[in-house]
């Protein structure tokens, strides 16, 4: 099993993601430069947080056209796992791998803190080590995390169980309190909160591990 | 040839920045400012080409990159 962490110019959570997988979860992981075109060897791709390409025009707008994203689309089409965290979530929506969009927080403020998240669907590759209704504490840090989508898209997300995590306290204005969603096939997750920042016990919170444990369990076939 | 592209949020998307500016204008004493919506102006300079060709190119640029049509709409003018 091998994880790959994509590195765009101005990614800044790539090191944390790498550390969480290698040192905390004990799995193989490598960095993938954004110009890479071959990523067949990886079982799971992590698109980390940051400000890819300076967030010029819109968050994630430029990153969607980098060479590696064509490979990520092919990877996702094969049913392999992709997790986009924060800026990674924004990139996944811009690239059309997830529906909707992320716009400026309702109160125009950058939000930084720890958010209690409710697990809405635990029967997925990303949440199978959690219980439905369980609340996990995951750090958040974003200015554009306000999830929007058309009503029919939101309804579809609800009907299909694609909403995995919701905010207990909705500080950014997201529709349906959405903190994280999966695609229809269930192999691509986008979430604004940062599970990789809640893996090392020295930081006082290891709730983020459950997301990675779920993915590892799924990849080992023990879902 | 020069083209001005205007990208704005769709009516169904709330614009907290616009709302804040509307509040500020009202506080400054400008009465009757019912709504403020903030968008982007993108100025393009293209090599000269027939108008139809330019329009097609600009529309494609808008659809693919300049606007996110999930949340935004666009108009443009050849100046």
């Amino acid at each position: 099993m091998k994880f790959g962490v994509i590195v765009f110019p101005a990614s800044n959570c790539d090191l944390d993601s790498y550390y969480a997988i290698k040192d905390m979860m004990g799995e193989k992981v490598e960095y993938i430069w954004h110009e890479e075109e071959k990523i067949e060897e990886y079982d799971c791709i992590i698109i980390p947080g940051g400000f890819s390409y300076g967030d010029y025009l819109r968050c994630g707008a430029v990153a969607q056209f980098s060479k590696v994203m064509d490979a990520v689309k092919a990877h996702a089409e094969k049913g392999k796992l992709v997790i986009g965290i924060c800026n990674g979530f924004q990139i996944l929506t811009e690239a059309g791998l997830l529906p909707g969009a992320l716009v400026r927080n309702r109160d125009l403020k950058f939000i930084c803190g720890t958010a209690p998240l409710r697990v809405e669907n635990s029967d997925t590759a990303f949440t199978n080590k959690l219980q439905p209704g369980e609340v996990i504490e995951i750090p958040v840090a974003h200015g554009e995390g306000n999830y929007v989508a058309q009503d029919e898209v939101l309804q579809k997300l609800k009907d299909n169980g694609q909403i995995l995590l919701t905010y207990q306290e909705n500080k950014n204005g997201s529709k349906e309190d959405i903190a994280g969603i999966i695609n229809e096939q269930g192999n691509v997750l986008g979430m604004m909160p940062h599970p990789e920042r809640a893996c090392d016990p020295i930081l006082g919170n290891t709730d983020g591990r459950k997301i990675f444990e779920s993915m590892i369990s799924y990849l080992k076939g023990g879902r | 040839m020069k083209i001005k592209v205007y990208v704005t949020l769709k009516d169904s998307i709330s614009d907290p920045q616009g709302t804040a500016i509307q509040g500020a204008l009202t506080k400054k004493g400008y009465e009757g400012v019912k709504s403020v919506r903030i968008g982007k102006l993108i100025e393009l300079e293209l090599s000269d080409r027939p108008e139809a060709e330019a329009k097609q190119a600009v529309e494609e640029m808008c659809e693919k990159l300049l606007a996110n049509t999930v949340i935004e709409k666009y108009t443009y003018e050849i100046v």
Side-chain angles (χ1 to χ4, degrees):
Chain A
M1 183 191 315
K2 190 148 77 173
F3 286 75
V5 178
I6 295 182
V7 183
F8 292 107
S11 289
N12 66 11
C13 299
D14 41 348
L15 273 77
D16 289 2
S17 301
Y18 184 97
Y19 176 78
I21 298 298
K22 183 169 181 280
D23 295 286
M24 295 297 114
M25 310 309 299
E27 297 293 339
K28 282 185 204 147
V29 58
E30 285 173 8
Y31 291 114
I32 303 171
W33 186 235
H34 65 104
E35 287 182 329
E36 187 60 50
E37 292 174 53
K38 293 202 184 306
I39 60 168
E40 287 87 355
E41 64 192 282
Y42 303 98
D43 301 291
C44 176
I45 298 296
I46 300 177
I47 308 181
F51 300 86
S52 57
Y53 299 93
D55 275 350
Y56 293 161
L57 194 64
R58 296 178 307 276
C59 305
V62 183
Q64 64 169 313
F65 296 110
S66 62
K67 281 184 190 165
V68 78
M69 283 311 292
D70 287 332
V72 170
K73 282 178 191 168
H75 172 96
E77 273 168 26
K78 284 182 204 157
K80 293 167 112 179
L81 298 187
V82 179
I83 174 172
I85 301 163
C86 199
N87 192 219
F89 186 10
Q90 295 162 341
I91 294 168
L92 288 172
T93 58
E94 282 283 343
L97 284 166
L98 289 173
L102 293 139
V103 298
R104 189 78 87 87
N105 292 346
R106 180 187 49 216
D107 299 333
L108 300 169
K109 286 188 180 127
F110 188 92
I111 293 170
C112 189
T114 300
L117 306 177
R118 186 173 188 275
V119 178
E120 300 295 335
N121 182 355
S122 64
D123 187 24
T124 77
F126 304 95
T127 49
N128 57 67
K129 292 288 177 196
L130 292 152
Q131 299 300 319
E134 187 178 344
V135 174
I136 53 173
E137 303 268 342
I138 303 290
V140 287
H142 58 252
E144 281 95 357
N146 180 352
Y147 182 82
V148 297
Q150 288 181 319
D151 290 343
E152 50 269 33
V153 173
L154 292 168
Q155 192 57 48
K156 211 173 145 194
L157 289 175
K158 277 199 271 186
D159 294 346
N160 293 342
Q162 287 173 252
I163 300 171
L164 294 204
L165 300 162
T166 53
Y167 297 109
Q168 292 281 85
E169 247 183 291
N170 187 344
K171 289 187 179 171
N172 59 21
S174 287
K175 289 262 195 313
E176 303 291 336
D177 305 329
I178 284 173
I181 56 165
I182 48 171
N183 63 343
E184 231 177 312
Q185 293 72 30
N187 64 314
V188 178
L189 165 68
M191 61 187 290
M192 288 310 297
H194 289 271
E196 81 283 8
R197 295 188 189 176
C199 288
D200 191 337
I202 207 167
L203 298 174
N205 175 7
T206 57
D207 282 2
R209 282 187 183 212
K210 291 173 187 166
I211 302 281
F212 297 116
E213 280 168 6
S214 298
M215 293 159 70
I216 290 164
S217 166
Y218 173 85
L219 289 169
K220 283 182 175 163
R223 183 179 167 183
Chain B
M1 63 198 300
K2 285 187 178 174
I3 288 132
K4 285 186 174 179
V5 179
Y6 303 90
V7 179
T8 49
L9 286 169
K10 282 184 178 173
D11 296 338
S12 57
I13 304 292
S14 71
D15 178 10
Q17 207 181 170
T19 308
I21 299 305
Q22 181 202 5
L25 288 171
T26 306
K27 262 188 207 161
K28 283 269 175 200
Y30 297 101
E31 285 171 26
V33 181
K34 288 184 184 167
S35 160
V36 176
R37 305 279 291 172
I38 295 175
K40 292 172 195 151
L41 163 64
I42 301 166
E43 293 181 326
L44 301 172
E45 191 166 350
L46 301 186
S47 55
D48 287 335
R49 62 191 78 182
E51 197 174 305
E53 218 174 279
K55 281 185 175 174
Q56 198 189 343
V58 171
E59 280 172 30
E60 203 179 308
M61 289 177 205
C62 287
E63 292 286 335
K64 285 194 177 165
L65 176 62
L66 300 181
N68 177 347
T69 54
V70 174
I71 47 169
E72 295 169 326
K73 55 188 178 176
Y74 61 86
T75 57
Y76 61 90
E77 57 179 326
I78 298 170
V79 291

